[in-house]
Structure formats: C-alpha cells, structure tokens
Amino acid sequence: MTTNPFAHLVNLAADGQVLFATDDFFQPAESLLHTTEPVWDADKFTPFGKWMDGWETRRKRTEGHDWGIVKLGLSGEIEGVHIDTAFFTGNQVPRISLQAACLEEDLPLVRRSEIGTCATDQELKAAGAVGSEKWDTILSMTPLKPGYPETRHHYFPINKACLGKRYTHLRINYFPDGGVARLRVYGTVSKDWSTVSPVQQFDLVALENGGIPVSFTNSHYGTPQNMLMKRESAGMYDGWETARNPNRPPIFKKDAEGLLVIPGSEHVVIKLGHIAIPEKVVIDTSHFKGNFPESVLVESCVLTQGQRLNDAKWHVLVKRVKCQPNLKHEFGVVGGGSGITHVRLTVFPDGGIARFRVFGTLGETKVSSKL
C-alpha cells in the first residue's frame, strides 16, 4: 500500500461543504468529502444505477465537462492532495484538475444535493458568475488510474507557485466525467491570532485553531485528527481508537488507587497553533461503550525554537484518572504556567476517544513553525 506523504498535515477538506456540482446522477458530490474509507456493496443499487461510494456523474452526452465548487472545512495553506478512486474500476474520472481561491465572503449559491439530478440552467448561471475557472490552478490536468487496490491512491503535491497561499474554496474539474471516491486536501490551518482576545477562552488543540498531532503510537481504528474536529463525534469511526494492547496482562489487578496495573499504554502528542494557558480538559468517550480507555493522563510541555520532542520535559495537567463509557468527562488542570506549546494524551491500556478538548487562553508568543 502506498504511504501517504501528507499524513502529518491536516485534511482541510474534512467537514467541507459542496456548494455546486454540474451533475449528481449516480451519487452526489458530498460523498467525495467523507472522511470514512470508501466501501463496496455489490448488491446495492439505486433507481439510477449502481450505488458507488463517491461522487459519480453520468456519462456525458453534451459539450463541456463536469465540475464542482467546495468550501473547505478549514481554511489554510495547501501542500498536497490525496485522490482516491477506490472501486471505480471502469468508471473512474480519467483526468482531473483542481483550482483554489481565498474568498472572504460566502458565495451566493444554493445547493440541492439530490441523486439523479444535474444542475439547472439557473444554477449553472449562478455558479458561472463566480468565475471559478480563473482561480489558481493548484493541480494541473492529471490522469487518474482505476480504483484497484494497487492503483487507487493518488498523492500529488500542489503547484509550487501556490505554496504558502491561504485558500478557502476549491473548484474540482472532472475531464470529462466519471467518479472519484474521496478527495483529501492536506495542509496547515491559517488563523489570524490578532483577532483573538487575550482573555477569550478557546479550544487550544482544535484543528481549526492550528492544533495538529505530531506524534502518536497507534491509530489502528481511527486517526488522532478525528478527535480534534470542532463538531460532535458522529460514531466510533469518527474518533481516535487504538488496537488492543498486546501486552495487557492475562489477569487484571488494581493498585491502591483503584487503577489497573498495566504495563503498556498508547499516546498522542498535539502541537498547539499558539502558545496558550490551559484551564480545562474535556475527554469525550461518546460511542465508545465497550472499548473506552480504562484511564487517561494529560501532560504538557513548552518547546522553544530548535527543541525537539525528545527534549520535552512533561508536566501533569490532569493526573491519571479513570474513564467511563460513552461520557463527556471534564477536568480542571494543574500547572500550565504562563503557557504551553504541546499536549500529550495517554490512554491506558488502549481504547477510543471521540473528542479531546483543552480550553484556555492565549499565551505571549506564537509557537515556532520549526518545532
């Protein structure tokens, strides 16, 4: 399997919004942005044909090509894209290109998102008035391979001239028609910290505020990025879940404080977008009813420019504490000082977390991008 070269970056398209699509005949364009892995159901059909887990347009019989406009879930600087044609083995888009723009105002587009339909003349006119064909080309017209296991994953860096620019919207061009299972747009979140009051409380580790996992020990059932998303978790698939710890003892025993004596654990380290002062931690195990962690530990550190994670001196924010299934846990913190740059969440011995929040206020200086 091809390794994702952009795995250390945030998927800016997650929770994005499709604003326009020329055609939604076999499957609406919203499927393209789903964060779950695409699936195959051999027996599933709709009134319009074979159901596919992705955005698939009808076979074009008119002039032009299919295209759509997407508002990114998170605005930021794009570095690369992952285009997945999974299961589209005779109906994949043969060529694709991507364009992007930074727009400060919402586009006046009305979206229907209805299978078996195409854009009306009125919708085409409104979308055409946006002028998206003039947006920056971040990926020139590029061929795609069919969605077999060995050929489905396509990883492309964006055009160098577009690096370092902030983008909020994408135009997706199918040449001329067909289907793509998933589009993931990788980059770093851009946030104007001058608009944040020093006393305003916010989620320090949220993706939208520049939080990003920089190290983790296990992500067998779900990436740590999931638990940093703004919206509530939609299910177990929408959180961070590890494999069962293979080193767990054959018989569990408790210590004097009622915690299990366990030789192993799993952890994730999250870099903040800005140095900040932590005040409250939320551990949400929603949906994890038989696979929640027995307990968790939350620590923090301060790294200055040039220091690495190996140099970190970790300090406890929330001492190891037992967890309950399917529940939001809130904890006050100890320490935090004048600000922290990284947070480490450790789960014992393993398990799943739906959402992880660390609320606090701004510190004094911005975290170095070289950490």
Side-chain angles (χ1 to χ4, degrees):
M1 181 177 177
T2 306
T3 301
N4 181 2
F6 309 116
H8 61 290
L9 300 170
V10 175
N11 177 15
L12 302 176
D15 286 344
Q17 180 184 4
V18 177
L19 302 180
F20 171 79
T22 54
D23 191 277
D24 294 295
F25 192 82
F26 289 110
Q27 193 67 14
E30 279 74 10
S31 299
L32 194 65
L33 305 182
H34 290 171
T35 56
T36 54
E37 283 296 300
V39 297
W40 169 255
D41 188 335
D43 300 322
K44 188 172 182 179
F45 286 79
T46 76
F48 305 98
K50 180 70 185 75
W51 178 86
M52 296 293 292
D53 193 2
W55 176 29
E56 184 183 6
T57 67
R58 74 188 78 198
R59 301 188 187 210
K60 202 155 189 67
R61 298 295 184 259
T62 59
E63 63 180 359
H65 65 92
D66 287 317
W67 57 280
I69 296 176
V70 168
K71 180 180 180 181
L72 295 174
L74 296 166
S75 61
E77 299 175 8
I78 302 172
E79 294 190 26
V81 298
H82 174 202
I83 300 172
D84 186 355
T85 57
F87 309 114
F88 288 93
T89 55
N91 50 352
Q92 81 278 1
V93 173
R95 293 166 296 276
I96 196 170
S97 77
L98 299 173
Q99 295 170 265
C102 182
L103 307 178
E104 299 303 329
E105 297 182 359
D106 290 335
L107 294 177
L109 300 176
V110 178
R111 171 73 174 153
R112 282 181 297 144
S113 184
E114 183 179 347
I115 191 173
T117 66
C118 63
T120 65
D121 290 343
Q122 183 178 1
E123 290 168 341
L124 279 168
K125 182 178 179 180
V130 171
S132 58
E133 73 281 357
K134 298 178 182 178
W135 291 356
D136 292 352
T137 299
I138 64 171
L139 180 69
S140 303
M141 188 187 296
T142 302
L144 298 179
K145 296 178 181 179
Y148 298 109
E150 64 274 15
T151 58
R152 58 180 274 196
H153 295 290
H154 305 75
Y155 297 101
F156 303 115
I158 71 166
N159 292 335
K160 291 183 179 180
C162 300
L163 290 172
K165 293 185 178 181
R166 177 175 177 265
Y167 291 113
T168 60
H169 291 70
L170 287 185
R171 173 176 165 133
I172 304 162
N173 297 301
Y174 280 11
F175 296 108
D177 55 33
V180 170
R182 296 290 186 270
L183 170 66
R184 296 182 172 96
V185 181
Y186 289 102
T188 55
V189 174
S190 298
K191 187 176 181 68
D192 183 0
W193 290 103
S194 66
T195 64
V196 180
S197 165
V199 297
Q200 177 184 340
Q201 191 178 72
F202 65 99
D203 184 358
L204 315 184
V205 297
L207 294 178
E208 66 172 349
N209 293 323
I212 185 169
V214 293
S215 174
F216 53 89
T217 55
N218 192 291
S219 60
H220 192 81
Y221 294 112
T223 171
Q225 287 193 20
N226 288 343
M227 65 178 181
L228 306 184
M229 298 179 76
K230 180 179 180 179
R231 60 170 172 76
E232 296 296 304
S233 174
M236 282 197 303
Y237 63 87
D238 194 27
W240 173 47
E241 184 182 0
T242 73
R244 297 194 188 211
N245 189 327
N247 297 319
R248 62 193 187 280
I251 299 175
F252 285 129
K253 295 181 180 180
K254 292 182 179 180
D255 64 14
E257 297 183 359
L259 298 170
L260 293 182
V261 179
I262 301 169
S265 62
E266 306 288 359
H267 71 263
V268 57
V269 176
I270 301 160
K271 176 185 172 184
L272 310 189
H274 195 290
I275 192 168
I277 302 170
E279 298 173 351
K280 180 178 70 173
V281 169
V282 176
I283 303 288
D284 184 359
T285 59
S286 293
H287 311 295
F288 291 96
K289 301 175 182 179
N291 48 353
F292 61 98
E294 181 266 347
S295 55
V296 297
L297 168 69
V298 183
E299 301 164 288
S300 68
C301 74
V302 178
L303 290 181
T304 57
Q305 185 172 336
Q307 287 186 305
R308 303 295 178 183
L309 279 178
N310 290 338
D311 303 322
K313 294 182 179 180
W314 295 99
H315 302 279
V316 173
L317 286 181
V318 177
K319 70 176 184 178
R320 184 179 168 187
V321 60
K322 291 184 71 67
C323 289
Q324 299 298 320
N326 195 35
L327 183 70
K328 285 186 180 180
H329 309 70
E330 292 192 8
F331 306 103
V333 303
V334 294
S338 59
I340 63 173
T341 62
H342 293 70
V343 172
R344 182 167 67 185
L345 169 64
T346 303
V347 297
F348 298 88
D350 50 43
I353 301 289
R355 291 294 184 266
F356 176 51
R357 319 284 193 199
V358 180
F359 292 98
T361 57
L362 284 180
E364 298 175 355
T365 58
K366 190 171 182 181
V367 178
S368 169
S369 61
K370 297 181 180 180
L371 292 180

